[in-house]
């Protein structure tokens, strides 16, 4: 029996130590929960604070400060029409415009419309992907247009882009940017601040003709009452086209010719929601076909009907370069043309 008694004596100190530890833990836990019982039911935050003690303040001190709210900038929808036969000259213009758009604060979507041609489309996509600007390329059938229909073709491209914006309800601020346009970055800041429709003066520089033409809107408070065009080659003479229901009392500002003045659509910007806002009087739907009229005509209506807008008459932040078009001739073809000219000179009769 002596070995059994010795084993009992060895176990008893461990039992006493375990009981003592359990009692101390229970007393400590009750002491910690006692202040919470006096104030009501304990919450998770109070229990956490009681157990953390002085370390709770340390954790709050090292917590990262809340970041300031990011301003909600409007989405810029920049629409650019291209020429199907421009080649490398147009590629260079697109790259230059892309470098400008890269300096504009996002969000920005560059919508480029080009002809439905595999070679031209592949080249345009390669150029656009290398710019680093978020873009969307749209195509159209250019077989219905000739060189004489260049203006109608550009209008058709813009209408393709506006139809895409309306179909997908891309809510943002629309601007038609030419590939050869030059911008002051403040232009895009002002574009994001417009409430509906806005207009800016555009300076067109023609190195070949050595003249500068300024086109813009005539503003009366928050309304466009007409459009003007100043040509530097005619000593500042001005042609004016007055908007609907607007009165122009100055005889010097009247358009002397019966030909209506064309609006430079590159100098306007508007909110895309105006395209599908059913409350607008200038949007009419064909109930039989369910189709909407040409959106580019809607834009022209907005510009001519004197809608409430933000317009600027003084500061020019947009320039357009009217560069002559050059045609690259292959080296072999150029040699044959030179030889034919030499033969023609030799065939001339001598006197």
């Amino acid at each position: 029996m002596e070995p059994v008694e010795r084993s009992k004596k060895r176990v008893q100190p461990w039992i006493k130590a375990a009981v003592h530890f359990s009692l101390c833990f229970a007393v400590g836990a009750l002491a910690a929960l006692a202040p919470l019982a006096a104030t009501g039911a304990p919450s998770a935050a109070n229990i956490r604070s009681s157990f953390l003690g002085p370390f709770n303040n340390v954790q709050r001190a090292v917590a990262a400060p809340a970041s300031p709210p990011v301003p909600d900038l409007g989405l810029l929808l920049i629409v650019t029409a291209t020429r199907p036969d421009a080649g490398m000259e147009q590629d260079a213009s697109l790259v230059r415009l892309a470098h400008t758009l890269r300096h504009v604060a996002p969000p920005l979507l560059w919508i480029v419309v080009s002809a439905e041609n595999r070679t031209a489309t592949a080249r345009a996509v390669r150029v656009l992907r290398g710019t680093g600007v978020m873009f969307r390329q749209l195509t159209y059938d250019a077989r219905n247009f000739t060189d004489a229909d260049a203006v109608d073709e550009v209008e058709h491209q813009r209408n393709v882009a506006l139809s895409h914006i309306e179909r997908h309800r891309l809510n943002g601020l629309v601007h038609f940017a030419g590939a050869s346009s030059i911008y002051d970055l403040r232009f895009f800041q002002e574009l994001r601040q417009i409430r509906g429709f806005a207009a800016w003066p555009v300076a067109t520089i023609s190195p070949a003709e050595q003249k500068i033409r300024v086109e813009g809107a005539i503003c009366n408070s928050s309304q466009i009452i007409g459009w003007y065009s100043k040509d530097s080659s005619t000593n500042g003479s001005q042609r004016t086209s007055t908007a609907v229901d607007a009165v122009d009392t100055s005889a010097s500002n009247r358009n002397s010719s019966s030909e209506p003045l064309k609006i430079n659509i590159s100098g306007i910007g508007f909110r895309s929601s105006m395209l599908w806002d059913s409350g607008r009087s200038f949007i009419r739907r064909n109930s039989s076909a369910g189709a909407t009229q040409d959106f580019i005509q809607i834009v022209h209506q907005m510009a001519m009907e004197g809608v409430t807008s933000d317009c600027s008459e003084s500061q020019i932040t947009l320039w357009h370069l009217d560069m002559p078009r050059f045609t690259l001739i292959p080296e072999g073809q150029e040699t044959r043309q030179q030889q034919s000219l030499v033969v023609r000179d030799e065939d001339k009769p001598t006197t």
Side-chain angles (χ1 to χ4, degrees):
M1 297 299 294
E2 291 182 359
V4 176
E5 292 179 357
R6 290 179 180 177
S7 61
K8 288 182 179 182
K9 290 180 180 180
R10 292 177 181 176
V11 174
Q12 287 179 358
W14 291 103
I15 295 176
K16 291 180 180 180
V19 172
H20 182 72
F21 176 77
S22 300
L23 291 175
C24 292
F25 179 79
V27 172
L30 293 175
L33 297 175
L36 301 179
T39 58
S43 61
N46 292 335
I47 296 175
R48 177 178 176 275
S49 178
S50 300
F51 277 101
L52 289 177
F55 297 101
N56 190 29
N57 295 331
V58 175
Q59 184 178 5
R60 291 179 182 176
V62 299
S67 58
V70 179
D72 186 14
L73 299 178
L75 171 64
L76 295 182
L77 300 169
I78 308 300
V79 178
T80 300
T82 61
R83 297 196 305 267
D85 57 344
M88 293 186 294
E89 175 192 352
Q90 182 170 259
D91 295 345
S93 299
L94 290 175
V95 171
R96 180 179 57 188
L97 178 59
H99 281 292
T100 300
L101 298 180
R102 288 179 61 181
H103 290 82
V104 180
L108 182 147
L109 177 61
W110 190 15
I111 301 177
V112 181
V113 187
S114 57
E116 201 173 54
N117 183 292
R118 291 185 178 180
T119 304
T121 301
R123 185 180 67 249
V125 170
R126 183 170 62 253
V127 172
L128 295 174
R129 284 180 177 174
T131 60
V133 180
M134 184 172 64
F135 73 94
R136 185 172 297 181
Q137 188 190 26
L138 307 178
T139 59
Y140 71 101
D141 189 1
R143 294 174 297 179
N144 299 327
F145 300 94
T146 61
D147 294 339
D149 303 329
V151 176
D152 295 336
E153 187 173 4
V154 172
E155 294 288 285
H156 177 74
Q157 294 182 57
R158 290 168 176 167
N159 192 67
V160 169
L162 293 178
S163 301
H164 179 82
I165 293 173
E166 191 271 344
R167 185 185 310 113
H168 296 280
R169 291 295 193 270
L170 300 178
N171 193 9
L173 301 125
V174 182
H175 171 66
F176 301 101
S180 58
S181 297
I182 300 176
Y183 291 89
D184 187 326
L185 292 180
R186 290 174 297 178
F187 172 84
F188 299 99
Q189 298 175 2
E190 296 175 0
L191 180 60
R192 280 197 164 106
Q193 296 173 2
I194 66 175
R195 296 163 294 178
F197 187 89
W200 292 265
V202 181
T204 302
I205 305 173
S206 179
E209 301 179 4
Q210 296 184 356
K211 68 177 183 179
I212 300 175
R213 184 176 68 256
V214 180
E215 302 167 302
I218 302 174
C219 308
N220 181 12
S221 183
S222 61
Q223 192 173 19
I224 296 176
I225 62 174
W227 297 83
Y228 70 89
S229 177
K230 295 180 181 179
D231 195 341
S232 62
S233 63
T234 56
N235 297 325
S237 64
Q238 178 171 331
R239 295 176 58 243
T240 304
S241 176
T242 308
V244 178
D245 298 333
V247 179
D248 187 6
T249 59
S250 175
S252 62
N253 288 339
R254 292 183 183 273
N255 185 5
S256 59
S257 64
S258 59
E259 181 184 358
L261 180 65
K262 295 182 180 180
I263 300 173
N264 192 335
I265 203 170
S266 298
I268 67 173
F270 60 94
R271 290 197 171 271
S272 59
S273 58
M274 301 178 73
L275 296 175
W276 58 78
D277 187 358
S278 58
R280 302 286 179 180
S281 60
F282 41 77
I283 295 182
R284 306 177 182 89
R285 291 185 176 272
N286 188 343
S287 57
S288 60
T292 307
Q293 60 177 320
D294 287 344
F295 291 104
I296 196 64
Q297 297 300 326
I298 296 175
V299 175
H300 281 286
Q301 280 185 282
M302 288 189 292
M304 290 303 298
E305 291 187 3
V307 296
T308 303
S309 59
D310 305 291
C311 62
S312 173
E313 294 186 72
S314 57
Q315 192 171 19
I316 298 177
T317 56
L318 168 59
W319 297 265
H320 175 71
L321 292 179
D322 190 7
M323 301 296 294
R325 298 176 62 180
F326 298 96
T327 303
L328 296 178
I329 302 175
E331 184 177 357
Q333 184 177 353
E334 182 180 3
T335 304
R336 289 193 299 270
Q337 289 182 356
Q338 292 176 353
Q339 293 175 353
S340 63
L341 291 176
V342 172
V343 172
R344 290 177 184 176
D345 292 338
E346 292 177 352
D347 293 340
K348 290 182 180 180
T350 59
T351 58

